[in-house]
């Protein structure tokens, strides 16, 4: 039985264990945190959101199993460039529909009948795969490193700019991830510092420009408002309490051991309790101990990602794992930092824990890529450890020769 399960759940078993533990916690906390939403929207049917979340978790595991058991790692490199062009097209489409008034709200989501998805999710994965492909091919000379930098920074600027028009925090997250990949890929620091300086200047321009312009664009005003609220609080709140304040209250009231499953009070007053501030609700119900345990799970995933990179035998899979691991870890750090009040409010969910739909599938694709590389590493190790059978020229028997002695 154990052997048959290991044949299906291939790849790094520690990461599989982390995902299962996060899934169990996710079902518990989403069921509790969506209670108020269910009474507002679904007539008190709290089970609707639990079932929906469970379906997407199961679909996510299905995607990961398919990727590990069926798809070879090289296929991600083959389609990386095409996926990048497709994601840029989807981002332009979303921006165009937003300005045309066809898409309402923030413009992050493209509706597809009963389902919808965020083009930024496609762009995140495709840009990381493209950057990994470029870095993997250009590592021999300084000229290669310069060409790699030039080939990566142009699409990165285009993608991050398009995403920032509707979701600045995701564009900043993706930008930080690509910079990390280039740092690991030995891109000269002088190039990277210039890009970082340009990024800081862009943010400063938006912040101070919003104060000068009489009617700044909505996203620029939102960015400035979030920074101001983080520093000075919300002056426009009638009660003086924001979602960030409620999140800190939830962590404080949870204490060491928490109030118990389903006993959250703060989630009833928060619009994003089941998403952007879900870590605060975890601490409120299960205490600081479980909160630290959740952080520990993401740290385990981070170190397992490092191990997979070190064991990789080819450059593209190694850089791909670096990018996908870091963007998931960065996202978790942002969600935890926002919930605890250490960072300004953003719209980043807790990976594989927060309530979500198609975003869960794209998160599963990221995990699936990482697990596929870990499985490839295991196969390569087994092949390397197998003895090589060399037939003697004048004999009818075979001689075993250890490949390591060649």
């Amino acid at each position: 039985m154990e052997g048959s399960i290991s044949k299906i759940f291939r790849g790094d078993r520690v990461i599989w264990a982390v995902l299962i533990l996060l899934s169990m916690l996710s079902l518990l906390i989403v069921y509790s945190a969506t209670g108020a939403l269910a009474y507002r929207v679904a007539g008190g049917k709290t089970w609707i959101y639990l079932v929906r979340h469970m379906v997407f978790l199961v679909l996510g595991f299905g995607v990961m199993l398919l990727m590990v058991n069926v798809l070879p790692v090289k296929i991600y490199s083959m389609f990386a460039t095409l996926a990048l062009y497709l994601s840029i097209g989807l981002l332009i489409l979303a921006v165009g529909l937003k300005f045309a008034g066809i898409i309402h709200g923030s413009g992050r989501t493209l509706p597809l009948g009963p389902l919808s998805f965020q083009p930024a999710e496609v762009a995140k994965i495709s840009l990381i795969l493209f950057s990994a492909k470029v870095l993997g091919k250009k590592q021999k000379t300084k000229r290669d490193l310069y060409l790699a930098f030039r080939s990566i920074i142009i699409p990165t600027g285009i993608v991050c700019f398009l995403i920032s028009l509707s979701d600045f925090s995701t564009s900043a997250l993706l930008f930080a991830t690509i910079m990390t990949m280039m740092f690991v890929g030995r891109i000269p620091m002088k190039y990277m510092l210039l890009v970082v300086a340009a990024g800081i200047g862009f943010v400063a321009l938006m912040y101070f420009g919003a104060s000068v312009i009489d009617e700044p664009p909505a996203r620029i005003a939102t960015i400035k408002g979030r920074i101001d609220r983080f520093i000075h609080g919300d002056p426009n709140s009638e009660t003086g309490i924001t979602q960030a304040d409620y999140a800190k209250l939830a962590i404080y009231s949870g204490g060491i051991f928490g109030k118990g499953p389903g006993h959250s009070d703060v989630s009833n007053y928060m619009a994003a309790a089941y998403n952007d501030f879900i870590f605060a609700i975890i601490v409120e119900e299960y205490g600081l101990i479980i909160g630290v345990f959740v952080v520990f799970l993401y740290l385990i995933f981070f170190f397992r990602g490092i191990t997979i990179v070190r064991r990789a035998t080819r450059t593209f899979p190694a850089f791909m794992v670096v990018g996908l691991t870091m963007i998931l870890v960065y996202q978790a750090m942002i969600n935890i930092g926002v919930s605890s009040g250490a960072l300004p409010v953003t719209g980043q969910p807790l990976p594989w824990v927060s309530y979500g739909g198609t975003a869960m599938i794209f998160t599963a694709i990221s995990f699936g890529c990482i697990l596929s590389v870990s499985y490839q590493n295991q196969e390569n190790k087994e092949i390397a450890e197998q003895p090589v059978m060399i037939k003697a020229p004048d004999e009818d028997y075979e001689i075993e020769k250890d490949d390591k002695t060649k």
Side-chain angles (χ1 to χ4, degrees), residues 150-225:
R150 191 178 66 180
S151 300
I152 292 172
I153 202 62
I154 294 175
T156 297
I158 295 172
V159 170
C160 289
F161 173 74
L162 291 172
I163 295 176
S164 68
L165 295 176
S166 59
D167 189 353
F168 180 78
S169 62
T170 297
S171 67
L173 173 67
L174 181 58
F175 177 79
T177 302
I178 299 301
M179 294 301 294
T180 303
M181 292 179 67
M182 289 197 291
F183 176 77
V184 175
R186 302 185 303 119
I187 299 297
M189 286 298 297
K190 59 182 179 180
Y191 300 145
M192 297 178 61
L193 290 175
L194 286 174
V195 175
V196 171
I200 295 173
F202 177 68
V203 175
L205 179 64
M206 288 193 297
Y207 179 82
F208 292 106
S211 302
V212 176
I213 302 174
D214 292 334
E215 295 183 2
R219 296 310 304 173
I220 295 179
T222 300
I223 295 169
K224 183 180 185 302

Side-chain angles (χ1 to χ4, degrees), residues 378-389:
Q378 294 171 2
E379 282 194 320
N380 292 338
K381 181 180 179 182
E382 291 175 359
I383 293 173
E385 291 177 349
Q386 287 180 355
V388 178
M389 309 300 292

Side-chain angles (χ1 to χ4, degrees), residues 118-298:
Q118 296 181 7
E121 296 295 333
V122 183
K124 287 193 301 185
I125 297 175
S126 60
L127 182 59
I128 288 173
L129 296 184
F130 175 80
S131 301
K133 181 178 180 179
V134 173
L135 288 171
K137 289 183 176 180
K138 300 184 182 298
Q139 287 288 312
K140 294 181 180 180
T141 65
K142 292 183 178 179
R143 175 67 177 172
D144 282 345
L145 295 176
Y146 168 73
L147 293 175
F149 169 78
R150 191 178 66 180
S151 300
I152 292 172
I153 202 62
I154 294 175
T156 297
I158 295 172
V159 170
C160 289
F161 173 74
L162 291 172
I163 295 176
S164 68
L165 295 176
S166 59
D167 189 353
F168 180 78
S169 62
T170 297
S171 67
L173 173 67
L174 181 58
F175 177 79
T177 302
I178 299 301
M179 294 301 294
T180 303
M181 292 179 67
M182 289 197 291
F183 176 77
V184 175
R186 302 185 303 119
I187 299 297
M189 286 298 297
K190 59 182 179 180
Y191 300 145
M192 297 178 61
L193 290 175
L194 286 174
V195 175
V196 171
I200 295 173
F202 177 68
V203 175
L205 179 64
M206 288 193 297
Y207 179 82
F208 292 106
S211 302
V212 176
I213 302 174
D214 292 334
E215 295 183 2
R219 296 310 304 173
I220 295 179
T222 300
I223 295 169
K224 183 180 185 302
R226 286 179 173 178
I227 296 175
D228 287 338
R229 284 193 297 271
F230 176 71
I231 299 174
H232 307 294
D234 189 358
N236 299 319
S237 175
E238 295 180 359
T239 61
I241 301 178
T242 63
Q243 284 203 93
D245 295 326
Y246 277 121
K248 288 182 279 188
L249 177 62
I251 292 176
Y252 173 78
S253 60
I256 301 296
F257 302 104
K259 296 179 178 179
H263 288 82
S264 171
D265 296 318
V266 177
S267 61
N268 297 323
Y269 304 96
M270 299 176 66
Y274 49 85
N275 200 339
D276 300 345
F277 293 95
I278 197 167
F279 181 77
I281 308 304
I282 292 174
V283 177
E284 183 186 12
E285 293 194 357
Y286 297 95
L288 185 62
I289 293 177
I290 299 300
V292 172
F293 178 70
V294 171
V295 175
F296 184 65
L297 289 177
Y298 286 108

